[in-house]
């Protein structure tokens, strides 16, 4: 399950057995959480941390509560559920609620910390002291298996800007079975911390470091490389890698990533503006199983880069080359010729693409389901006709700001692509009659437009 943040920073009691979330009141040192509260000696407010308390008592001892305990016991039907049913209920709770449940009674405490409920830790919030929270959680989860969290497979701390290398090092040391790690937007982490994780978590398959501007490479630590046997090949098992907005990633770093992550099937390099065709050449040498690839807004990628990508052949299903201004019909012909099973193509803003490129694409990639050729001013009704007569399975089509498109082209598409579900014709000069024609023939189609007369 995930772990949600609370607010407050304070000293904890001597007994540290469960994690709770506490929210400080203004001008007060008392921290309120759920139905109970705990007192802290700290006056710091506005900082999010994990707090640890001893297990709750078996019985409530306050005189006023004791008077009502009989009535409450009669109403507590949930306590009649067997343990396995309670665990199933708890499995739907977010981490902050799960931690609060651990404070209700001793039985709930034991059930809430069942290892089966802790396959995922999820932390959110810009103010959370995520390094400390991870340390507290992993320490508690390691009680039954000293020093390691054998059940923990997923850690999501996206947007936690206070995450540092120390927090990732805690994950690397305690979570050998980790399979998924998301740290998008955590711009304080460095290459070394990422190296520790991929070196000490051999089962890691999904890694999202998008927006981590200091990350320039994915590789094993030097110590891990030395320890590995030649049979292992010094490879990393990552299959999904998102490095969107890693602005300082260069061809050399991509070369290292490709050489170590040969099992990649999903790779996203959006706005990695320093990547060139040479980096893509390295990628295709080592990573021959890629199914989804995005190089959107990589302004140095050209037709030569698409020639390299085309070496993926029928394995490639998803390709985004949006706003790669150096791409023309020549590069698109390479993709169309060799990647016949392509399902999704985003070529928005590639102003060098014309009807000839669309024609070649339509005739060779007949199973295309989603196409974005918005802001391609050289694409006209002629190109749409080729799409309509060849790509009958088309479900999503974006023609936003295509100045040469008219209502006639839309009618041809609607008359042949009955399964069309989304059509974007914003900023296109199309008539209301054409839009109504589309709506009549494609009943489930959602039309995004800028014509005030059509509704």
């Amino acid at each position: 399950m995930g772990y949600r943040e609370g607010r407050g920073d304070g000293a904890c009691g001597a007994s540290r057995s469960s994690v709770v979330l506490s929210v400080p009141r203004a001008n007060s040192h008392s921290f309120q959480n759920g139905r109970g509260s705990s007192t802290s000696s700290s006056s710091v407010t506005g900082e999010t941390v994990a707090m640890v308390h001893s297990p709750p008592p078996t019985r409530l001892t306050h005189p006023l509560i004791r008077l009502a305990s009989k009535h409450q016991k009669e109403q507590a039907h949930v306590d009649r559920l067997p343990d396995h049913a309670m665990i199933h209920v708890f499995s739907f709770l977010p981490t902050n609620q799960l931690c609060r449940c651990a404070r209700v009674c001793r039985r709930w405490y034991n059930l809430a910390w069942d290892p089966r409920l802790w396959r995922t830790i999820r932390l959110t919030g810009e103010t959370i002291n995520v390094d400390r929270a991870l340390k507290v959680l992993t320490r508690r989860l390691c009680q039954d298996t000293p020093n390691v969290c054998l059940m923990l497979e997923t850690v999501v701390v996206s947007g936690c800007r206070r995450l540092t290398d120390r927090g990732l090092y805690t994950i690397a040391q305690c979570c050998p079975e980790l399979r998924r790690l998301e740290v998008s937007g955590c711009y304080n982490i460095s290459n070394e911390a990422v190296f520790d994780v991929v070196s000490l978590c051999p089962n890691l398959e999904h890694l999202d470091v998008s927006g981590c501007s200091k990350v320039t490479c994915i590789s094993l630590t030097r110590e891990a490389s030395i320890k590995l046997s030649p049979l292992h090949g010094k490879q990393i098992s990552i299959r999904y890698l998102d490095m969107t907005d890693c602005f300082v990633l260069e061809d050399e770093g991509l070369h290292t990533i490709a050489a170590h992550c040969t099992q990649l099937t999903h790779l996203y390099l959006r706005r990695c503006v320093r990547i060139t065709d040479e980096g893509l050449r390295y990628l295709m040498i080592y990573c021959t199983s890629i199914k989804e690839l995005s190089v959107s807004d990589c302004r140095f990628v050209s037709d030569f880069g698409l020639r390299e990508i085309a070496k993926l052949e029928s394995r490639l299903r998803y390709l985004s080359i949006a706003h790669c201004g150096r791409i023309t019909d020549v590069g698109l012909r390479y993709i169309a010729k060799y990647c016949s099973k392509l399902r999704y193509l985003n070529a928005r803003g590639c102003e060098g693409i014309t009807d000839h490129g669309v024609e070649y694409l339509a005739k060779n990639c007949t199973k295309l389901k989603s196409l974005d050729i918005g802001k391609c001013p050289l694409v006209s009704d002629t190109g749409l006709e080729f799409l309509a007569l060849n790509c009958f399975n088309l479900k999503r089509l974006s023609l936003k700001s295509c100045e040469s498109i008219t209502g006639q082209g839309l009618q041809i598409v609607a008359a042949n692509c009955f399964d069309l579900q989304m059509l974007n014709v914003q900023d296109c000069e199309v008539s209301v009659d054409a839009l109504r024609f589309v709506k009549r023939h494609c009943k489930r189609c959602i039309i995004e437009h800028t014509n005030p007369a059509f509704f």
Side-chain angles (χ1 to χ4, degrees):
M1 299 299 296
Y3 180 89
R4 292 290 190 266
E5 74 278 14
R7 292 184 181 271
D9 187 9
C12 305
S15 178
R16 295 172 173 260
S17 302
S18 68
V19 179
V20 298
L21 306 173
S22 302
V23 182
R25 295 176 180 270
N27 302 320
S28 173
H29 303 293
S30 178
F31 293 78
Q32 186 74 24
N33 177 30
R35 298 179 180 174
S37 64
S38 60
T39 303
S40 170
S41 61
S42 173
S43 60
V44 178
T45 60
E47 182 181 1
T48 306
V49 296
M51 298 187 67
V52 185
H53 295 265
S54 58
T58 305
R59 294 183 179 180
L60 300 172
T61 57
H62 193 281
L64 295 179
I65 297 179
R66 189 163 53 242
L67 293 174
S69 61
K70 182 178 180 180
H71 175 71
Q72 290 178 347
K73 185 175 181 181
E74 293 175 353
Q75 298 299 318
H77 300 294
V78 68
D79 288 334
R80 301 176 185 176
L81 294 176
D83 287 354
H84 68 86
M86 290 292 295
I87 290 176
H88 182 68
V89 172
F90 285 168
S91 69
F92 294 97
L93 297 179
T95 304
N96 62 328
Q97 297 297 331
L98 192 59
C99 292
R100 289 176 179 176
C101 287
R103 303 188 67 200
V104 172
C105 64
R106 187 171 295 275
R107 182 191 177 216
W108 281 34
Y109 170 84
N110 292 328
L111 293 176
W113 285 106
D114 188 291
R116 289 171 291 182
L117 297 175
W118 292 93
R119 298 182 187 275
T120 297
I121 289 178
R122 189 180 301 272
L123 298 161
T124 59
E126 296 182 0
T127 61
I128 184 172
N129 188 342
V130 65
D131 291 346
R132 183 178 174 187
L134 287 172
K135 185 176 181 179
V136 170
L137 281 170
T138 53
R139 180 190 300 168
R140 175 59 184 81
L141 294 174
C142 288
Q143 283 190 358
D144 297 329
T145 52
N147 302 324
V148 291
C149 307
L150 294 179
M151 298 297 291
L152 189 58
E153 297 181 350
T154 300
V155 175
V156 179
V157 289
S158 298
C160 298
R161 297 185 177 182
R162 295 181 62 185
L163 177 70
T164 67
D165 290 353
R166 185 180 302 175
L168 282 191
Y169 184 72
T170 298
I171 295 173
Q173 290 290 319
C174 300
C175 309
E177 299 300 322
L178 192 68
R179 294 182 178 275
R180 183 186 185 105
L181 176 63
E182 297 182 17
V183 293
S184 63
C186 302
Y187 50 74
N188 289 319
I189 64 174
S190 66
N191 283 340
E192 289 70 23
V194 176
F195 291 178
D196 283 333
V197 172
V198 299
S199 298
L200 298 176
C201 303
N203 297 322
L204 187 66
E205 296 181 345
H206 182 116
L207 178 61
D208 182 354
V209 291
S210 57
C212 301
S213 56
K214 295 181 180 179
V215 177
T216 62
C217 186
I218 306 295
S219 179
L220 295 169
T221 60
R222 184 176 181 181
E223 293 77 8
S225 297
I226 294 174
K227 292 179 181 179
L228 288 176
S229 64
L231 182 62
H232 189 282
K234 300 181 180 179
Q235 301 302 314
I236 300 172
S237 58
I238 293 177
R239 298 178 182 274
Y240 179 106
L241 178 60
D242 191 343
M243 297 193 70
T244 298
D245 293 322
C246 292
F247 307 115
V248 293
L249 176 65
E250 298 181 343
D251 289 342
E252 184 178 354
L254 188 56
H255 186 183
T256 303
I257 292 172
H260 285 84
C261 306
T262 57
Q263 300 180 48
L264 278 175
T265 58
H266 298 68
L267 178 61
Y268 306 96
L269 303 172
R270 306 179 188 96
R271 293 181 291 280
C272 294
V273 294
R274 300 186 183 183
I275 296 297
T276 71
D277 297 334
E278 185 69 7
L280 295 179
R281 185 178 71 84
Y282 292 140
L283 186 65
M284 295 308 124
I285 291 175
Y286 298 100
C287 303
T288 58
S289 300
I290 292 179
K291 298 178 181 179
E292 296 193 9
L293 176 64
S294 175
V295 290
S296 296
D297 295 283
C298 296
R299 59 178 180 268
F300 295 120
V301 172
S302 69
D303 293 334
F304 294 103
L306 288 194
R307 183 180 64 180
E308 296 298 325
I309 294 174
K311 294 178 181 179
L312 293 172
E313 297 180 341
S314 60
R315 293 179 292 276
L316 187 65
R317 302 300 177 90
Y318 171 109
L319 177 63
S320 180
I321 52 175
H323 304 292
C324 294
R326 301 188 179 190
I327 289 177
T328 67
D329 289 342
V330 176
L332 196 59
R333 284 173 67 94
Y334 281 117
I335 296 298
K337 182 177 180 180
Y338 295 102
C339 305
S340 58
K341 293 186 179 181
L342 193 67
R343 299 290 191 273
Y344 174 100
L345 176 64
N346 183 356
R348 175 176 293 195
C350 296
E351 297 182 355
I353 293 178
T354 71
D355 289 333
H356 296 293
V358 174
E359 175 187 359
Y360 210 79
L361 179 71
K363 289 182 176 179
N364 290 273
C365 301
T366 56
K367 296 182 179 180
L368 203 64
K369 292 185 177 181
S370 179
L371 177 63
D372 188 340
I373 47 176
K375 298 184 180 180
C376 294
L378 301 180
V379 175
S380 68
D381 292 344
T382 302
L384 291 188
E385 183 175 355
F386 288 117
L387 281 175
L389 297 178
N390 293 277
C391 301
F392 304 111
N393 296 319
L394 201 61
K395 296 182 182 298
R396 302 175 65 88
L397 177 62
S398 178
L399 306 169
K400 182 177 181 180
S401 301
C402 287
E403 303 169 356
S404 302
I405 296 297
T406 70
Q408 182 178 356
L410 293 186
Q411 291 179 5
I412 297 175
V413 170
N416 291 273
C417 303
F418 303 109
D419 293 331
L420 197 64
Q421 297 176 5
M422 194 285 292
L423 176 65
N424 188 338
V425 289
Q426 292 176 332
D427 302 317
C428 295
E429 295 296 330
V430 294
S431 65
V432 175
D433 291 338
L435 295 177
R436 289 173 178 168
F437 183 91
V438 173
K439 199 63 180 176
R440 284 198 304 270
H441 285 75
C442 304
K443 303 293 185 181
R444 297 182 296 172
C445 184
I446 297 175
I447 304 176
E448 298 179 11
H449 62 92
T450 51
N451 192 328
F454 177 75
F455 54 89

